[in-house]
Amino acid sequence: MFRLTWKNLMASKIRFALTTFGVVLAVSFVVSAFVLGDGLRRSFTDVSKDITAGIDFEVRNTADFVKPPPLPPDVVDIVAGVPAVRHAVASIEAADNAVRPITATGDEIPTSGPPQLAFNWIDDPALSAFTIVDGAPPQAGEFTIDLDSAEKYDFVIGHTYDVMVPSGRVQLTLSGTSSFGPQNATLGAVLMQMNTAQASELFGVDGIDSVAVALHDGSDPAEAQAAIAAAVTASVPTAEVVDRETVAADFASQFTTQIDLVGAILLAFGVVALVVSVFLIHNTFAIVVGQRSRELALLRTVGADPRQIRRSVLGEALAVGIIASATGIVGGIGVAKGIDALFGVMGFDLVDWPLILAPRTIVAAVVLGIGVTLTAAIGPARRAATVSPMVLLSGTTSSSGRHVSRRRALTGAAFIATGAALAAGGAAVNGAFPVGVGAILLFAGVTMLSPMAVGPVTRVLGWPLGRVATVTGRMAQRNAARNPRRSASTSAALMIGLAVVAIAMIAAESVKASIGSTLADSAKAEYYLSDELDEVAFPAEVVGETLGLAGVDAATGFTPLEVRIDDTVTEVIGFDFDQIDALLDVDVRAGAFDSDVSSPVVVSAGEAARRGLVVGDTVTITSPAGITMATTVAGTFGDQSVLTEDYLVDTRVLQALGAPVAPEWLAISVADDARPVDVQHLLDTLESRFPYAALETAAQFEERVAGEIDDALTMVNMMVALAVAIALIGIANTLALSVFERTHELGLVRAVGMSRRQVRRMVRYEAGLLGSFGATVGVGLGIGIGIAAVHTFPSDVATQVAVPWDRLGLLIVIATTAAVVSAWFAARRAGRLDVLDAIAH
Amino acid sequence: MTLLHTTTSNTTAQVAASVRDAVKHYGHDDTQVTALDHVDIDFEAGAFTAIMGPSGSGKSTLMHAMAGLDRLTSGSIVVGDVDVTSASEHELTRLRRDHLGFVFQAFNLVPTLTAIENITLPMDLAGRSPDRSWIDHVVATVGLSHRLRHRPSELSGGQQQRVAVARALAGRPSVIFADEPTGNLDSTTGSEILDFMRHAVRELGQTIVMVTHDPLAASYTNRVVFLADGRITGQLDQPTPDTVLDQMRRLGN
């Protein structure tokens, strides 16, 4: 039987290649995720070990805030005073992109790529992650930059450059180039160093980030750690002392989270390819078994038992799976290398990584490739085994797959009903979980029932076709509806792909529309100043200066701060209460932004309801600086779409909590009677002071956010493109096999007068109908699920549902057209059939 | 050759199809087979003609060549006013659609189309609207009026062949080619079909050329042409089963 299996495979190499294509892609993505992840993780672990080699301990602030607050600078002296300590140095690191060098040509290095980071220079080579390659360490008025960035952006030692820092622009001279670890493993980031005094002055860090500690040789590490901890916590109770391994692990984890993200995306691609491939493989095997029913019947009459037949089909699937797995492993290494190259193109130069083909990777590839193929072939194999020897005598080919069993219909209907109820119910109560479960049930139910829908739906979709091309259109529609299960599973892959993209499009459109209407409702200020680089704050004085300009009616900065309220860490936002009414309408429900109340806080209506807070109640806030104060509820507000935080505090409260006023963005309102020249002066002033910040009107802001949302959609679109490509291969495959199956019939219609062109058209129309069936059902399903999903979005993300009908319609048209194109080969083959041979078939 | 011309039953009859010096070889060199060996023959309009001969005599090749389904090695064939031998693929398609009818031995119908859709298929392909009263007449004659909305799978073998004959007649073609049209039917159903074909020639004025090896079927025709080894070996007017068998025996089959 094995020889027969193999011969069957080799007899149809193209079909075989098409069938395996999806599985090969799926396995490749999974393998690449593992290979890239394993290799990079090994590299980064090595890098982390290198750069932490000389450190014995690190002292840092542990407060349970996401961004630990800085330590006071005198901690260095406290640590240095511990007898076992040979050397203790402060390390200070600027926020990502807070310090950015300007090239000699006056250009800023693009911030869309890897981050630009600045560190204080540590003179002790044992404690520093950096070494000088050329030139000298930075003195006052100087800086150093990593050698790869120096080369890439043409920074020359001895030359003076502008450097953007949080407080503005300074001029510094490049004293040398440095290397981060032996390999300068920057991943494309720009790494700058300045001496410690200058770093404290320019980085905008209020204190120091940590203290690196080296012990005297021969001192007992455990004792030393205890001694340092005792000395430091006496001054800063929240500080902790961690060993080298922890530092290295924490350092490596900064990178591994990024690697894991890339790996997760690759795995997602793999899963998408896999799901779609199951349909493709199942379909191919089902059709092939149907075509071979006479041959199988012959085998049965000459003595093959059903089990042998089943094994023969499964053997064929096994061979497909083995070859697909093997090809996928090789392909996966290729994909990993390709992604490495792609990162390089985007500016993220990855470190050299070893090619690690872990046993886990091989097992995953083999289990996926073979498992999926075998699973998909079980149904067809079982059907093949039940082919009666009578088929040979009666000449009737198996008619299985024509009807949906009652049980399947009922299960499908139950799935759809439950799924729809869950999705609708979930949407009503903002429950993401029921909507998710409902969506999966809907997908399953629709997939089960779609064979019943193929006939009616293609009749409707084919109606215009029947107007234009009466016979060929009608015959194409009948052909599409001829074997509903085959048609349904052929278009199922397309259906799932397009449903996903429809959901993503509706979500994105709704978010955009919500932002638009929110800004229209609540944005009263004319201008908004924000730095494109999120983590960079503006200096506190800028608000006062802006208010001092002619024509400015109101202005305030918005400063976020992480605090603890009743044992919960949350973010509050601080701004000037006396300015806000002219700038933003956040739908005040009770009280007011009353700056006369002592330590006023305004609470969101939702939070107030949850905690039973009313105007006049007291809320206790603890800041990272360790200050605890009682604030008074001055009011409640309802619209959280612009200010998403639950607690809004006055700038003075922020200051009382010991937090620096460092606004992330500003809102500026211009007086109604302001002279155009004053407005122009205002804009010019802000622009020249912050050349890299964005000064936008509400409409421009909305446009920019919309653009960012569209960028985020790119990944989803790529994933869908992959699914659709595999789905189209499925359509091409099904039609090629259908054309083969209908050879006699095609000969007949040619004999009675169908032209070659009409034959080609008929096949293409059928492909178009299959494509539009999958696309229409998919988009329809996507619209339903998408609307339910948007209802579960938090109110600061989306407050309304928007369905981009025009683009969804276009999506159906594109999918249909692509399906027609995919049938090109099948149509050509059908058109070229020799009439006599075909009739004799 | 002259024999054939002088002995036609009606010398003034119009010619529906004429074959001149038709030669057809299959294969090359050593394996070359001659299917038609300088065949000359006319098929008159309004007649029911049978082509008989043993397997490999070239009878099917002759019919396929006349229908434009197969190309001659040399010689010429004119059907109606179309020179089949020099026509392009496109012209042949139009010829088949507009001027020829076909009845095959089996699997004559498109399974996805109903009986009436199968009958009007050639006209629909041509984009012509069918002659309703003629179609009604044909359908009534075939006795299919109540089965028109059925799919082929819901019809008996005899009914399927009747639909096939009705389709061949529907466009009032110059010639209908029938390839063993009763080969798959029991004798009673077969004679119904043959009766009907004879009726179509006598009463409806159609021209039918039928390939068969069944003397009984041949006896329904006006004339039988005998082929052997690619050559015409004889012919018989107003045949009966006995005279056909007689002739076959005489020709050494």
Side-chain angles (χ1 to χ4, degrees):
Chain A
M1 285 307 273
F2 175 74
R3 275 230 323 244
L4 184 72
T5 302
W6 186 249
K7 279 192 173 154
N8 281 333
L9 272 180
M10 288 299 109
S12 46
K13 293 195 194 70
I14 291 182
R15 184 181 69 213
F16 175 72
L18 283 173
T19 307
T20 52
F21 179 74
V23 191
V24 169
L25 268 185
V27 173
S28 292
F29 280 117
V30 171
V31 167
S32 70
F34 287 141
V35 166
L36 195 63
D38 291 347
L40 286 175
R41 213 167 282 122
R42 169 87 56 87
S43 284
F44 284 119
T45 307
D46 292 348
V47 169
S48 308
K49 278 186 188 146
D50 280 343
I51 60 171
T52 54
I55 296 175
D56 287 310
F57 293 109
E58 188 181 271
V59 179
R60 61 190 190 189
N61 210 337
T62 58
D64 43 358
F65 300 106
V66 176
K67 246 188 283 177
L71 293 165
D74 62 1
V75 170
V76 182
D77 301 326
I78 296 171
V79 175
V82 175
V85 173
R86 174 180 69 76
H87 196 186
V89 293
S91 46
I92 309 172
E93 182 185 343
D96 290 7
N97 297 321
V99 177
R100 311 187 296 280
I102 307 295
T103 65
T105 51
D107 297 318
E108 191 175 21
I109 297 166
T111 48
S112 55
Q116 300 172 42
L117 306 170
F119 306 84
N120 66 316
W121 173 257
I122 294 169
D123 256 329
D124 186 337
L127 295 178
S128 178
F130 299 95
T131 49
I132 292 295
V133 180
D134 281 317
Q139 306 300 322
E142 294 178 341
F143 73 110
T144 51
I145 197 164
D146 75 273
L147 68 148
D148 290 320
S149 298
E151 189 182 339
K152 196 163 162 192
Y153 300 107
D154 262 340
F155 287 100
V156 181
I157 296 171
H159 288 213
T160 301
Y161 298 92
D162 280 1
V163 176
M164 301 307 299
V165 294
S167 56
R169 183 191 289 244
V170 295
Q171 288 207 318
L172 299 171
T173 304
L174 189 70
S175 67
T177 57
S178 59
S179 174
F180 180 64
Q183 264 201 65
N184 193 31
T186 66
L187 296 182
V190 176
L191 306 182
M192 281 170 293
Q193 302 81 36
M194 295 179 198
N195 77 20
T196 304
Q198 200 167 289
S200 320
E201 183 197 333
L202 296 179
F203 286 3
V205 178
D206 192 24
I208 61 175
D209 286 305
S210 61
V211 180
V213 182
L215 301 179
H216 287 297
D217 291 343
S219 47
D220 178 73
E223 275 176 26
Q225 185 171 14
I228 298 167
V232 172
T233 49
S235 159
V236 183
T238 52
E240 67 172 359
V241 182
V242 293
D243 59 12
R244 180 195 306 142
E245 285 68 33
T246 311
V247 176
D250 287 354
F251 178 81
S253 77
Q254 290 176 14
F255 296 99
T256 46
T257 48
Q258 308 290 323
I259 297 167
D260 290 345
L261 181 68
V262 174
I265 291 170
L266 287 172
L267 282 178
F269 272 87
V271 169
V272 168
L274 214 56
V275 169
V276 181
S277 303
V278 171
F279 289 100
L280 180 63
I281 296 168
H282 174 85
N283 231 14
T284 308
F285 275 95
I287 298 171
V288 168
V289 164
Q291 279 177 357
R292 286 217 305 256
S293 53
R294 273 161 175 275
E295 180 195 321
L296 294 170
L298 177 68
L299 287 172
R300 294 275 281 117
T301 51
V302 299
D305 75 11
R307 197 189 296 170
Q308 283 173 310
I309 303 271
R310 193 169 61 227
R311 275 203 212 127
S312 155
V313 176
L314 287 178
E316 200 171 329
L318 184 68
V320 170
I322 291 172
I323 295 174
S325 296
T327 319
I329 291 172
V330 177
I333 295 171
V335 171
K337 295 277 181 204
I339 292 192
D340 187 343
L342 190 68
F343 271 110
V345 170
M346 294 192 301
F348 297 85
D349 302 303
L350 299 186
V351 288
D352 296 335
W353 45 275
L355 183 61
I356 302 170
L357 208 53
R360 180 260 275 116
T361 311
I362 308 273
V363 169
V366 170
V367 167
L368 279 182
I370 295 177
V372 163
T373 319
L374 278 183
T375 311
I378 283 177
R382 201 177 287 163
R383 224 168 298 148
T386 60
V387 167
S388 154
M390 285 304 290
V391 168
L392 189 65
L393 304 175
S394 65
T396 54
T397 48
S398 121
S399 65
S400 67
R402 216 143 289 193
H403 297 290
V404 178
S405 76
R406 201 179 153 74
R407 215 176 88 193
R408 188 174 153 130
L410 287 176
T411 317
F415 274 24
I416 290 178
T418 318
L422 275 175
V429 300
N430 287 1
F433 182 71
V435 170
V437 174
I440 291 169
L441 284 178
L442 276 173
F443 272 121
V446 169
T447 309
M448 280 185 202
L449 286 197
S450 61
M452 291 168 76
V454 169
V457 174
T458 52
R459 250 197 302 287
V460 174
L461 293 171
W463 184 81
L465 210 54
R467 304 285 103 189
V468 201
T470 330
V471 216
T472 45
R474 181 167 58 208
M475 291 175 77
Q477 190 271 322
R478 302 266 173 88
N479 281 336
R482 190 166 184 169
N483 193 329
R485 264 169 58 181
R486 181 192 297 181
S487 297
S489 61
T490 300
S491 42
L494 198 59
M495 177 190 89
I496 292 174
L498 289 197
V500 171
V501 80
I503 293 169
M505 277 167 72
I506 289 170
E509 193 70 10
S510 300
V511 172
K512 281 194 249 178
S514 303
I515 291 168
S517 72
T518 298
L519 288 177
D521 286 350
S522 58
K524 290 156 87 176
E526 279 79 9
Y527 296 102
Y528 298 85
L529 181 71
S530 63
D531 202 307
E532 289 156 2
L533 320 159
D534 275 337
E535 293 183 53
V536 182
F538 291 96
E541 323 83 76
V542 69
V543 178
E545 287 169 20
T546 307
L547 272 172
L549 292 170
V552 173
D553 191 32
T556 188
F558 295 84
T559 307
L561 176 70
E562 242 184 344
V563 299
R564 198 184 293 119
I565 296 176
D566 289 357
D567 291 331
T568 311
V569 173
T570 184
E571 200 169 67
V572 302
I573 193 149
F575 51 87
D576 298 331
F577 274 18
D578 55 3
Q579 299 284 323
I580 196 72
D581 287 339
L583 301 168
L584 278 181
D585 177 4
V586 294
D587 182 21
V588 173
R589 297 274 173 87
F593 284 101
D594 187 350
S595 49
D596 294 335
V597 172
S598 76
S599 309
V601 58
V602 171
V603 188
S604 73
E607 178 76 359
R610 276 191 294 278
R611 309 183 72 138
L613 294 171
V614 294
V615 175
D617 283 357
T618 300
V619 173
T620 306
I621 300 178
T622 307
S623 73
I627 297 169
T628 298
M629 68 182 289
T631 57
T632 311
V633 176
T636 61
F637 71 106
D639 184 349
Q640 280 184 278
S641 47
V642 176
L643 301 177
T644 57
E645 292 78 3
D646 283 321
Y647 296 91
L648 315 178
V649 299
D650 190 51
T651 310
R652 285 175 303 160
V653 174
L654 216 55
Q655 287 162 323
L657 284 166
V661 178
E664 278 191 349
W665 57 283
L666 278 77
I668 301 156
S669 179
V670 175
D672 290 340
D673 54 358
R675 292 182 304 155
V677 60
D678 288 336
V679 174
Q680 193 56 51
H681 176 68
L682 160 74
L683 301 180
D684 291 346
T685 308
L686 290 172
E687 256 162 32
S688 65
R689 174 116 194 244
F690 306 103
Y692 301 105
L695 181 61
E696 301 165 309
T697 62
Q700 287 168 329
F701 175 73
E702 182 190 340
E703 207 170 284
R704 181 162 60 89
V705 173
E708 282 167 13
I709 293 168
D710 286 338
D711 288 348
L713 267 183
T714 310
M715 191 58 75
V716 177
N717 287 338
M718 280 166 62
M719 227 174 266
V720 169
L722 175 76
V724 170
I726 299 176
L728 292 177
I729 290 177
I731 290 180
N733 211 8
T734 299
L735 279 169
L737 291 166
S738 293
V739 163
F740 176 75
E741 210 171 61
R742 298 175 196 151
T743 303
H744 173 84
E745 194 181 317
L746 288 168
L748 176 71
V749 292
R750 287 276 287 126
V752 301
M754 190 180 271
S755 66
R756 285 183 166 170
R757 184 195 284 195
Q758 283 173 317
V759 171
R760 286 197 297 265
R761 261 192 215 151
M762 183 172 73
V763 175
R764 286 200 211 105
Y765 288 158
E766 186 181 348
L769 281 170
L770 289 180
S772 61
F773 172 75
T776 311
V777 175
V779 167
L781 196 56
I783 290 173
I785 297 173
I787 290 173
V790 170
H791 274 107
T792 69
F793 286 2
S795 60
D796 58 317
V797 177
T799 49
Q800 64 185 84
V801 176
V803 179
W805 297 106
D806 50 343
R807 272 177 299 146
L808 290 173
L810 186 66
L811 199 63
I812 295 178
V813 173
I814 291 173
T816 307
T817 314
V820 170
V821 173
S822 78
W824 193 78
F825 270 108
R828 196 178 67 152
R829 203 172 150 233
R832 283 194 177 173
L833 284 177
D834 181 85
V835 183
L836 269 185
D837 288 350
I839 291 174
H841 189 78
Chain B
M1 307 298 156
T2 39
L3 176 86
L4 291 166
H5 288 288
T6 51
T7 54
T8 42
S9 54
N10 183 350
T11 46
T12 60
Q14 277 189 300
V15 173
S18 67
V19 179
R20 289 286 165 272
D21 201 22
V23 175
K24 176 70 182 177
H25 299 306
Y26 288 111
H28 299 282
D29 306 327
D30 295 351
T31 57
Q32 183 167 301
V33 175
T34 302
L36 294 178
D37 191 0
H38 302 282
V39 172
D40 272 275
I41 189 169
D42 285 343
F43 293 91
E44 65 192 68
F48 189 178
T49 312
I51 304 176
M52 291 196 77
S55 297
S57 61
K59 58 185 192 300
S60 289
T61 305
L62 178 61
M63 194 190 79
H64 291 150
M66 284 197 285
L69 296 172
D70 207 350
R71 297 270 185 187
L72 290 180
T73 307
S74 68
S76 75
I77 296 172
V78 175
V79 174
D81 51 4
V82 177
D83 183 351
V84 175
T85 36
S86 66
S88 69
E89 177 61 36
H90 181 64
E91 286 165 336
L92 287 179
T93 299
R94 292 190 53 177
L95 171 76
R96 287 198 296 267
R97 198 169 69 191
D98 301 336
H99 299 294
L100 303 183
F102 285 96
V103 182
F104 297 104
Q105 185 174 356
F107 306 117
N108 256 307
L109 307 179
V110 178
T112 52
L113 299 179
T114 62
I116 185 66
E117 285 168 343
N118 266 291
I119 291 171
T120 58
L121 181 59
M123 276 148 278
D124 290 341
L125 287 169
R128 276 190 281 120
S129 48
D131 179 347
R132 280 267 64 115
S133 62
W134 169 252
I135 301 276
D136 288 347
H137 182 54
V138 168
V139 165
T141 316
V142 190
L144 279 168
S145 307
H146 61 296
R147 311 288 289 175
L148 288 180
R149 301 281 157 212
H150 290 71
R151 296 278 171 92
S153 58
E154 297 159 331
L155 301 173
S156 70
Q159 286 171 329
Q160 289 184 27
Q161 284 306 78
R162 279 195 269 165
V163 173
V165 175
R167 178 189 61 210
L169 286 168
R172 282 198 257 222
S174 311
V175 186
I176 294 170
F177 293 106
D179 191 356
E180 306 268 13
T182 57
N184 253 20
L185 302 175
D186 63 76
S187 56
T188 319
T189 320
S191 35
E192 267 177 43
I193 297 289
L194 290 163
D195 256 337
F196 175 65
M197 289 168 73
R198 183 163 60 188
H199 175 82
V201 172
R202 275 191 199 154
E203 314 297 325
L204 307 177
Q206 294 297 298
T207 308
I208 301 180
V209 176
M210 173 175 75
V211 164
T212 185
H213 59 260
D214 176 9
L216 190 67
S219 71
Y220 282 77
T221 64
N222 305 121
R223 184 165 71 121
V224 182
V225 176
F226 293 91
L227 247 73
D229 298 328
R231 261 173 288 207
I232 291 174
T233 54
Q235 62 99 38
L236 192 62
D237 282 334
Q238 306 306 330
T240 67
D242 288 338
T243 56
V244 174
L245 271 172
D246 224 34
Q247 177 86 324
M248 284 167 76
R249 240 175 266 124
R250 207 149 12 99
L251 291 171
N253 293 332

